[in-house]
Structures are given as C-alpha cells and as structure tokens.
Amino acid sequence: MTDWNDHVERVLLSEAEIKEIIEKLARKIENDYSDKENIVLVGILKGSVTFLSDLMRALRIPAQVDFMRVSSYGDATTSSGNVNIILDINRKNLPSENLLIVEDIVDSGRTLKYLVTYLLNKGAKSVRTVTLLDKPDRREVDYTPEYVGKQIENHFVIGYGLDYGEKYRTLPYVGVIKPELI
Ligand code: PRP
C-alpha cells in the first residue's frame, strides 16, 4: 500500500508546531477584532480547509464561516497569474461584515491581492487575510497578509491541506516533497 509519508523528504512543520502557530495567530486576531464586530472567516478551497478547521476552533471570539473557490494555477507548480472565481460567497449583510480570508499559502500574492479588492468592491465592511504559510521570495505583486503563521523558503510543500497534483492534502503536517516526485 502507498504511504504518502514516504513521499516526504522532510517535515517542515510538525503537528505540534502548527498547533503553536495557530494559537499565536488566534490570540493576535482576537486582540485586533473587538467582539462586537461581525467576523466571517472565508476559507479559500481547497487548500485552506485543514487550517481553517483548526483556526476556527482556536478562536475565542464568535465568527461565521464561509467559503470561496478560485483557480489561480495553470498547472501543479506554476502560477498562471489568472484568478478565476469558481465559487463565490453570497451574503445578505456584507456591508456590516468583516471578512477574514483564510489561506494555506501565499505564493505570487495574486490570489489574495485580487480577492481583497474583489470583496471590498462587493461591499464588505473590511477584508483582512490570514495565511498559515508565506513565501515572500515568490511574490510577483505587492501584497502582504495581515496575519502570517510562518514565512518559508521556496520549497514545494505538501500536507495539512496542501497538495501536489491533488494528492497529500490529508497528511497532518507540512512537509517538503521529495524532488524526484515533481
Ligand atoms: C494555492 C493556495 C492559494 C494560491 C496561492 O491554491 O491555496 O489559494 O494557490 O498562490 P498565489 O499567491 O500565487 O496566488 P491552489 O490554486 O493550488 O488551489 P487549492 O487550494 O485547491 O490547492
């Protein structure tokens, strides 16, 4: 039987390290938003689901949850630069809602830069972003998320929601894929 753990060259973030990062992010987010604010966590499918499910349970302030799906990559490893919305949010009270976009990773920055502008134009009261991982060296557009779990170098990472060719999302940690598999 295939064991995806064998496809990992090394673990970049263990389950315990991820938990610690999420606790810190949650405390920062709680400090920044007052509890009177209507907060909506907007997970960007599919990569963010694992991070979102842990972050939402770590937060001690009320928040609603919604999802969007976009396509940003031309193939498994390169960014096409195009952002297409495949699934949009449909919210009645957007002008009173503070959206916090939840991402697993920021690479070129195109997805988040586009989404923030798009959601503000759609009428959201405010839009901020939180990402578990950030690859600042890969940036192609000027964009800085408000909340970053960990900055990483340009490794191809898998696990904890992150895929390579739709595989490996189910691994419970973030690992670097063996280069011969790419
Ligand atoms: C990844 C990631 C972000 C985007 C970041 O998603 O989850 O949405 O790419 O890249 P960027 O900063 O260069 O725009 P992907 O398109 O791989 O889809 P997935 O979440 O379904 O895996």
Side-chain angles (χ1 to χ4, degrees), residues 88-121:
D88 203 347
I89 52 168
N90 179 16
R91 306 190 61 83
K92 293 194 175 65
N93 301 314
L94 206 53
S96 68
E97 291 178 330
N98 297 291
L99 307 185
L100 179 58
I101 302 175
V102 181
E103 268 289 23
D104 51 344
I105 191 162
V106 183
D107 196 332
S108 72
R110 291 183 188 279
T111 304
L112 280 184
K113 190 171 176 107
Y114 177 86
L115 281 178
V116 169
T117 306
Y118 175 80
L119 291 169
L120 284 171
N121 287 338

Short mmCIF file of all heavy atoms in Angstrom, two decimals, residues 88-121:
data_model
loop_
_atom_site.label_atom_id
_atom_site.label_comp_id
_atom_site.label_asym_id
_atom_site.label_seq_id
_atom_site.Cartn_x
_atom_site.Cartn_y
_atom_site.Cartn_z
N ASP A 88 -18.43 31.62 -5.33
CA ASP A 88 -18.41 32.94 -4.68
C ASP A 88 -19.21 32.88 -3.37
O ASP A 88 -20.00 31.96 -3.17
CB ASP A 88 -19.04 33.97 -5.63
CG ASP A 88 -18.58 35.39 -5.34
OD1 ASP A 88 -17.98 35.62 -4.28
OD2 ASP A 88 -18.85 36.27 -6.19
N ILE A 89 -19.00 33.87 -2.50
CA ILE A 89 -19.87 33.98 -1.33
C ILE A 89 -21.13 34.73 -1.74
O ILE A 89 -21.10 35.55 -2.66
CB ILE A 89 -19.18 34.68 -0.14
CG1 ILE A 89 -18.58 36.03 -0.57
CG2 ILE A 89 -18.15 33.79 0.50
CD1 ILE A 89 -18.15 36.89 0.59
N ASN A 90 -22.22 34.44 -1.04
CA ASN A 90 -23.49 35.10 -1.35
C ASN A 90 -24.10 35.50 -0.01
O ASN A 90 -24.83 34.74 0.61
CB ASN A 90 -24.39 34.11 -2.11
CG ASN A 90 -25.74 34.72 -2.42
OD1 ASN A 90 -25.91 35.94 -2.36
ND2 ASN A 90 -26.71 33.89 -2.74
N ARG A 91 -23.73 36.70 0.47
CA ARG A 91 -24.10 37.10 1.82
C ARG A 91 -25.00 38.33 1.81
O ARG A 91 -24.72 39.28 1.09
CB ARG A 91 -22.84 37.36 2.64
CG ARG A 91 -21.86 36.18 2.62
CD ARG A 91 -20.75 36.35 3.63
NE ARG A 91 -21.25 36.42 4.97
CZ ARG A 91 -21.57 35.36 5.72
NH1 ARG A 91 -21.41 34.16 5.26
NH2 ARG A 91 -22.03 35.52 6.95
N LYS A 92 -26.04 38.29 2.63
CA LYS A 92 -27.03 39.38 2.61
C LYS A 92 -26.55 40.61 3.36
O LYS A 92 -26.95 41.72 3.06
CB LYS A 92 -28.34 38.88 3.21
CG LYS A 92 -29.00 37.81 2.36
CD LYS A 92 -30.44 37.56 2.78
CE LYS A 92 -31.13 36.58 1.85
NZ LYS A 92 -30.52 35.23 1.92
N ASN A 93 -25.69 40.40 4.37
CA ASN A 93 -25.31 41.53 5.23
C ASN A 93 -23.85 41.94 5.06
O ASN A 93 -23.22 42.39 6.02
CB ASN A 93 -25.59 41.17 6.69
CG ASN A 93 -27.05 40.85 6.90
OD1 ASN A 93 -27.92 41.59 6.42
ND2 ASN A 93 -27.34 39.76 7.60
N LEU A 94 -23.35 41.80 3.87
CA LEU A 94 -21.92 42.07 3.62
C LEU A 94 -21.46 43.45 4.11
O LEU A 94 -20.37 43.57 4.68
CB LEU A 94 -21.63 41.88 2.12
CG LEU A 94 -20.21 41.50 1.73
CD1 LEU A 94 -19.71 40.28 2.49
CD2 LEU A 94 -20.13 41.27 0.22
N PRO A 95 -22.25 44.51 3.94
CA PRO A 95 -21.79 45.84 4.38
C PRO A 95 -21.51 45.92 5.88
O PRO A 95 -20.82 46.84 6.34
CB PRO A 95 -22.93 46.77 3.98
CG PRO A 95 -23.60 46.07 2.85
CD PRO A 95 -23.51 44.60 3.18
N SER A 96 -22.04 44.98 6.66
CA SER A 96 -21.77 45.01 8.11
C SER A 96 -20.76 43.94 8.51
O SER A 96 -20.49 43.75 9.71
CB SER A 96 -23.07 44.79 8.90
OG SER A 96 -23.53 43.47 8.69
N GLU A 97 -20.18 43.25 7.54
CA GLU A 97 -19.34 42.10 7.87
C GLU A 97 -17.85 42.36 7.62
O GLU A 97 -17.47 42.93 6.60
CB GLU A 97 -19.80 40.87 7.10
CG GLU A 97 -21.15 40.38 7.60
CD GLU A 97 -21.69 39.19 6.86
OE1 GLU A 97 -21.40 39.03 5.66
OE2 GLU A 97 -22.43 38.41 7.48
N ASN A 98 -17.05 41.90 8.59
CA ASN A 98 -15.59 41.98 8.49
C ASN A 98 -15.07 40.62 8.06
O ASN A 98 -15.10 39.67 8.84
CB ASN A 98 -15.00 42.38 9.83
CG ASN A 98 -15.47 43.75 10.26
OD1 ASN A 98 -15.11 44.75 9.66
ND2 ASN A 98 -16.33 43.80 11.27
N LEU A 99 -14.60 40.56 6.82
CA LEU A 99 -14.16 39.28 6.28
C LEU A 99 -12.69 39.04 6.61
O LEU A 99 -11.86 39.94 6.47
CB LEU A 99 -14.34 39.24 4.76
CG LEU A 99 -15.73 39.59 4.20
CD1 LEU A 99 -15.75 39.39 2.69
CD2 LEU A 99 -16.82 38.76 4.86
N LEU A 100 -12.42 37.83 7.05
CA LEU A 100 -11.02 37.42 7.24
C LEU A 100 -10.78 36.22 6.31
O LEU A 100 -11.26 35.11 6.58
CB LEU A 100 -10.76 37.04 8.70
CG LEU A 100 -9.33 36.58 9.03
CD1 LEU A 100 -8.29 37.63 8.65
CD2 LEU A 100 -9.20 36.23 10.51
N ILE A 101 -10.08 36.48 5.22
CA ILE A 101 -9.81 35.42 4.25
C ILE A 101 -8.77 34.48 4.85
O ILE A 101 -7.74 34.93 5.38
CB ILE A 101 -9.27 36.00 2.92
CG1 ILE A 101 -10.27 36.99 2.32
CG2 ILE A 101 -8.96 34.89 1.93
CD1 ILE A 101 -9.75 37.69 1.06
N VAL A 102 -9.03 33.18 4.76
CA VAL A 102 -8.13 32.17 5.34
C VAL A 102 -7.49 31.37 4.21
O VAL A 102 -8.18 30.73 3.42
CB VAL A 102 -8.91 31.23 6.28
CG1 VAL A 102 -7.97 30.20 6.90
CG2 VAL A 102 -9.62 32.04 7.37
N GLU A 103 -6.18 31.44 4.16
CA GLU A 103 -5.41 30.75 3.11
C GLU A 103 -4.39 29.81 3.73
O GLU A 103 -3.90 30.04 4.84
CB GLU A 103 -4.66 31.77 2.24
CG GLU A 103 -5.41 32.23 1.02
CD GLU A 103 -5.53 31.17 -0.08
OE1 GLU A 103 -5.42 29.96 0.22
OE2 GLU A 103 -5.73 31.55 -1.23
N ASP A 104 -4.04 28.78 2.99
CA ASP A 104 -2.96 27.90 3.44
C ASP A 104 -1.59 28.47 3.10
O ASP A 104 -0.66 28.37 3.87
CB ASP A 104 -3.13 26.49 2.85
CG ASP A 104 -3.32 26.51 1.34
OD1 ASP A 104 -3.62 27.59 0.78
OD2 ASP A 104 -3.16 25.45 0.71
N ILE A 105 -1.49 29.09 1.91
CA ILE A 105 -0.18 29.58 1.49
C ILE A 105 -0.33 30.77 0.54
O ILE A 105 -1.29 30.84 -0.23
CB ILE A 105 0.62 28.44 0.81
CG1 ILE A 105 2.09 28.82 0.61
CG2 ILE A 105 -0.02 27.98 -0.50
CD1 ILE A 105 3.01 27.63 0.36
N VAL A 106 0.60 31.71 0.67
CA VAL A 106 0.68 32.82 -0.27
C VAL A 106 1.99 32.67 -1.05
O VAL A 106 3.06 32.48 -0.45
CB VAL A 106 0.67 34.20 0.44
CG1 VAL A 106 0.68 35.31 -0.60
CG2 VAL A 106 -0.55 34.31 1.32
N ASP A 107 1.85 32.73 -2.36
CA ASP A 107 2.99 32.48 -3.24
C ASP A 107 3.25 33.76 -4.05
O ASP A 107 3.91 34.68 -3.57
CB ASP A 107 2.59 31.27 -4.11
CG ASP A 107 3.73 30.61 -4.81
OD1 ASP A 107 4.73 31.28 -5.08
OD2 ASP A 107 3.64 29.41 -5.09
N SER A 108 2.69 33.85 -5.24
CA SER A 108 2.85 35.08 -6.04
C SER A 108 2.13 36.26 -5.38
O SER A 108 2.49 37.41 -5.63
CB SER A 108 2.29 34.87 -7.45
OG SER A 108 0.88 34.83 -7.42
N GLY A 109 1.12 35.97 -4.58
CA GLY A 109 0.31 37.03 -3.96
C GLY A 109 -0.89 37.42 -4.82
O GLY A 109 -1.73 38.20 -4.40
N ARG A 110 -0.98 36.86 -6.03
CA ARG A 110 -2.05 37.28 -6.96
C ARG A 110 -3.44 36.92 -6.44
O ARG A 110 -4.37 37.71 -6.57
CB ARG A 110 -1.84 36.63 -8.34
CG ARG A 110 -0.64 37.18 -9.05
CD ARG A 110 -0.48 36.60 -10.45
NE ARG A 110 0.80 37.01 -11.02
CZ ARG A 110 1.00 38.19 -11.57
NH1 ARG A 110 0.02 39.06 -11.65
NH2 ARG A 110 2.19 38.52 -12.04
N THR A 111 -3.59 35.73 -5.87
CA THR A 111 -4.91 35.30 -5.41
C THR A 111 -5.45 36.26 -4.34
O THR A 111 -6.56 36.76 -4.45
CB THR A 111 -4.85 33.86 -4.84
OG1 THR A 111 -4.32 32.99 -5.84
CG2 THR A 111 -6.22 33.38 -4.41
N LEU A 112 -4.63 36.52 -3.32
CA LEU A 112 -5.12 37.35 -2.22
C LEU A 112 -5.29 38.81 -2.65
O LEU A 112 -6.25 39.46 -2.26
CB LEU A 112 -4.20 37.24 -1.01
CG LEU A 112 -4.43 35.98 -0.18
CD1 LEU A 112 -3.55 35.98 1.05
CD2 LEU A 112 -5.90 35.85 0.24
N LYS A 113 -4.35 39.32 -3.43
CA LYS A 113 -4.48 40.72 -3.87
C LYS A 113 -5.79 40.89 -4.65
O LYS A 113 -6.54 41.83 -4.43
CB LYS A 113 -3.29 41.12 -4.73
CG LYS A 113 -3.25 42.62 -5.01
CD LYS A 113 -1.96 43.04 -5.68
CE LYS A 113 -2.01 44.51 -6.01
NZ LYS A 113 -1.19 45.34 -5.17
N TYR A 114 -6.07 39.94 -5.52
CA TYR A 114 -7.30 40.01 -6.31
C TYR A 114 -8.53 39.89 -5.41
O TYR A 114 -9.47 40.66 -5.52
CB TYR A 114 -7.29 38.88 -7.36
CG TYR A 114 -8.55 38.83 -8.17
CD1 TYR A 114 -8.70 39.62 -9.31
CD2 TYR A 114 -9.61 38.01 -7.79
CE1 TYR A 114 -9.87 39.59 -10.05
CE2 TYR A 114 -10.79 37.98 -8.53
CZ TYR A 114 -10.91 38.77 -9.65
OH TYR A 114 -12.07 38.75 -10.37
N LEU A 115 -8.50 38.91 -4.50
CA LEU A 115 -9.69 38.65 -3.68
C LEU A 115 -10.02 39.81 -2.74
O LEU A 115 -11.19 40.12 -2.53
CB LEU A 115 -9.48 37.37 -2.86
CG LEU A 115 -9.69 36.06 -3.61
CD1 LEU A 115 -9.41 34.87 -2.69
CD2 LEU A 115 -11.12 35.96 -4.17
N VAL A 116 -8.99 40.42 -2.17
CA VAL A 116 -9.25 41.54 -1.25
C VAL A 116 -9.96 42.67 -2.00
O VAL A 116 -10.99 43.19 -1.53
CB VAL A 116 -7.93 42.05 -0.61
CG1 VAL A 116 -8.16 43.36 0.12
CG2 VAL A 116 -7.36 41.00 0.34
N THR A 117 -9.47 43.03 -3.16
CA THR A 117 -10.10 44.09 -3.96
C THR A 117 -11.52 43.67 -4.37
O THR A 117 -12.47 44.46 -4.26
CB THR A 117 -9.26 44.38 -5.22
OG1 THR A 117 -7.93 44.66 -4.80
CG2 THR A 117 -9.81 45.55 -6.01
N TYR A 118 -11.63 42.42 -4.80
CA TYR A 118 -12.94 41.92 -5.25
C TYR A 118 -13.98 42.00 -4.12
O TYR A 118 -15.10 42.46 -4.33
CB TYR A 118 -12.78 40.47 -5.73
CG TYR A 118 -14.08 39.81 -6.09
CD1 TYR A 118 -14.68 40.04 -7.33
CD2 TYR A 118 -14.72 38.95 -5.20
CE1 TYR A 118 -15.90 39.45 -7.65
CE2 TYR A 118 -15.93 38.36 -5.52
CZ TYR A 118 -16.51 38.61 -6.74
OH TYR A 118 -17.71 38.03 -7.06
N LEU A 119 -13.59 41.57 -2.92
CA LEU A 119 -14.56 41.51 -1.82
C LEU A 119 -14.88 42.91 -1.26
O LEU A 119 -16.00 43.16 -0.82
CB LEU A 119 -14.04 40.57 -0.72
CG LEU A 119 -14.03 39.10 -1.15
CD1 LEU A 119 -13.26 38.24 -0.16
CD2 LEU A 119 -15.46 38.57 -1.33
N LEU A 120 -13.90 43.80 -1.33
CA LEU A 120 -14.20 45.19 -0.92
C LEU A 120 -15.16 45.82 -1.93
O LEU A 120 -16.12 46.49 -1.55
CB LEU A 120 -12.91 46.01 -0.82
CG LEU A 120 -12.05 45.73 0.43
CD1 LEU A 120 -10.70 46.43 0.33
CD2 LEU A 120 -12.78 46.16 1.71
N ASN A 121 -14.91 45.60 -3.21
CA ASN A 121 -15.82 46.12 -4.25
C ASN A 121 -17.21 45.52 -4.15
O ASN A 121 -18.20 46.15 -4.49
CB ASN A 121 -15.26 45.85 -5.65
CG ASN A 121 -14.08 46.75 -5.98
OD1 ASN A 121 -13.92 47.81 -5.37
ND2 ASN A 121 -13.24 46.33 -6.90
#
